[in-house]
Amino acid sequence: MLIKKPSDVRPSEITPREVYQSRRQFIAGAGAALASASALALPSAWLDERGYRADDPIGEAMTPEADAKRYNNFYEFGTDKSDPAAYAHEMTIDPWAVKVDGLVKNEKTFGIEDLLSGIDMEERIYRLRCVEAWSMVIPWIGFPIKKLLDKVEPLGSAKYVAFETLFRSSEMRGTRSLFSSIDWPYVEGLRLDEANHPLAILAIGMYGDVLPNQNGAPIRLVVPWKYGFKSIKSIVRIRLTDKEPPTTWNLLQPSEYGFYANVNPTVDHPRWSQASERRLPSSLFDPNRIATRMFNGYEEVAPLYAGMNLRRRY
Ligand code: MTE
């Protein structure tokens, strides 16, 4: 039996409920210990069963786990791809709370266990396409953002969702750098209808385990049809608003990074082409270059942008 699925998520992207049950049990059982990856480690049989080294259901090889966990963008810990894996462990993630406020009926600050309670976890295998023109295929564990928004009941006047990352400079060496031109905290946003799309998830795990800090523990956004910078990590606040919220990369360089940031091979970045991407792992001798697809291959989101000029609203 499949997890009851929204009509526009491909069945092949959803893990059967039986497989998921065990994951749910230990997430529920070890809720208080979410911070500790070892407390949530999956039985190795489960991993064998999933065969993470095998081809994934979207028909593209999954990125080896080690690559997804050591080649990261998380500027709070530095700008080098290896900085997050080296330094993100300095971030304390237990306890963790997420404030959900703004134009909602029930403003609330959720402890992480409270936030997850009553929500079924799903595995979603998604392509992640960075605006820098590299990509990966990652098995996330999470749930549609809509399930959290339903808990707080957005008001009719809410049109956008603003997200904010933890900002704790004592634990985030990248934010202390004199070279950092980012105005912390890292912020991102979606239109409410984008956030409500069943493909948009909040992830708490990857590769059958909790998220490592460098990938955005304990909870991050994953919006697979948009460039990776929209998928904000280590979220502490979600605010419903009636105005388009500011976003970090757009504030830094509006001519290069738009609010929408939908993956689009026909609209180049001012400094490089977006027509193709390096699927990681790749090397000088085996660049593994593939064509980039509209909406990163998630064409089912196209109706969200009907009538919009995607060249202008990049
Ligand atoms: N979130 C925060 N808070 N800080 C960041 O620097 N980088 C973004 C996004 N989320 C970033 C962030 C970018 S540019 C990308 S490509 C993805 O995270 C990378 O996610 P990954 O490291 O899990 O692959």
Side-chain angles (χ1 to χ4, degrees):
M1 188 180 94
L2 289 177
I3 290 173
K4 195 167 169 292
K5 58 186 186 300
S7 58
D8 41 3
V9 176
R10 290 185 202 91
S12 59
E13 286 176 273
I14 296 177
T15 302
R17 180 177 278 280
E18 297 78 46
V19 176
Y20 231 79
Q21 216 79 35
S22 59
R23 172 73 201 173
R24 277 229 315 286
Q25 273 156 12
F26 70 64
I27 284 186
L34 238 177
S36 150
S38 59
L40 292 177
L42 276 168
S44 56
W46 194 89
L47 284 173
D48 293 348
E49 212 178 287
R50 295 289 301 131
Y52 275 126
R53 274 163 293 279
D55 279 0
D56 75 274
I58 59 172
E60 295 166 31
M62 240 181 286
T63 302
E65 184 173 349
D67 291 300
K69 293 181 175 178
R70 72 177 170 213
Y71 187 92
N72 302 101
N73 276 332
F74 201 164
Y75 276 47
E76 284 84 338
F77 300 101
T79 53
D80 197 275
K81 294 284 182 284
S82 61
D83 285 338
Y87 305 120
H89 66 89
E90 293 170 359
M91 169 173 67
T92 309
I93 58 164
D94 183 17
W96 193 271
V98 181
K99 181 175 184 181
V100 190
D101 65 347
L103 301 174
V104 297
K105 212 162 152 191
N106 316 309
E107 261 186 33
K108 187 166 173 182
T109 299
F110 294 88
I112 193 82
E113 308 81 35
D114 190 18
L115 188 152
L116 301 179
S117 83
I119 295 182
D120 285 355
M121 294 299 140
E122 302 171 26
E123 182 169 74
R124 298 282 184 92
I125 298 168
Y126 282 160
R127 296 175 206 97
L128 174 80
R129 169 58 157 86
C130 180
V131 72
E132 297 162 344
W134 51 264
S135 64
M136 301 192 192
V137 174
I138 298 178
W140 302 103
I141 293 164
F143 58 92
I145 306 165
K146 184 175 188 312
K147 292 195 179 178
L148 174 60
L149 298 179
D150 286 348
K151 286 192 182 195
V152 296
E153 298 183 57
L155 300 177
S157 51
K159 296 283 175 283
Y160 294 89
V161 190
F163 300 86
E164 195 176 304
T165 294
L166 175 76
F167 174 37
R168 194 182 287 143
S169 64
S170 60
E171 297 179 359
M172 296 174 149
R173 59 177 70 209
T175 68
R176 305 195 295 268
S177 161
L178 295 176
F179 301 104
S180 162
S181 44
I182 293 178
D183 186 12
W184 310 102
Y186 192 99
V187 288
E188 256 306 335
L190 295 173
R191 249 176 23 204
L192 180 57
D193 59 342
E194 296 179 311
N196 278 332
H197 193 281
L199 284 177
I201 62 167
L202 287 168
I204 60 161
M206 65 195 293
Y207 295 89
D209 212 336
V210 289
L211 287 177
N213 285 11
Q214 64 267 30
N215 293 90
I219 188 162
R220 70 172 292 170
L221 189 63
V222 180
V223 195
W225 70 93
K226 292 179 179 285
Y227 291 121
F229 66 83
K230 298 295 290 183
S231 291
I232 180 173
K233 297 176 170 181
S234 304
I235 296 167
V236 290
R237 187 170 179 200
I238 299 176
R239 195 167 36 86
L240 282 285
T241 77
D242 53 1
K243 289 181 197 64
E244 188 180 287
T247 61
T248 289
W249 286 98
N250 181 251
L251 289 170
L252 266 179
Q253 201 47 269
S255 61
E256 300 187 1
Y257 310 101
F259 173 80
Y260 282 93
N262 291 315
V263 175
N264 188 339
T266 69
V267 177
D268 287 340
H269 184 280
R271 291 182 279 130
W272 59 84
S273 163
Q274 293 292 23
S276 68
E277 65 204 50
R278 266 183 320 118
R279 173 62 54 83
L280 301 184
S282 82
S283 68
L284 207 54
F285 304 107
D286 181 12
N288 206 13
R289 199 157 267 289
I290 59 173
T292 290
R293 294 156 68 182
M294 188 63 205
F295 299 121
N296 205 19
Y298 301 97
E299 293 85 358
E300 59 267 53
V301 301
L304 290 171
Y305 311 103
M308 258 176 69
N309 181 341
L310 297 179
R311 189 161 285 282
R312 228 163 37 81
R313 316 284 290 275
Y314 51 90

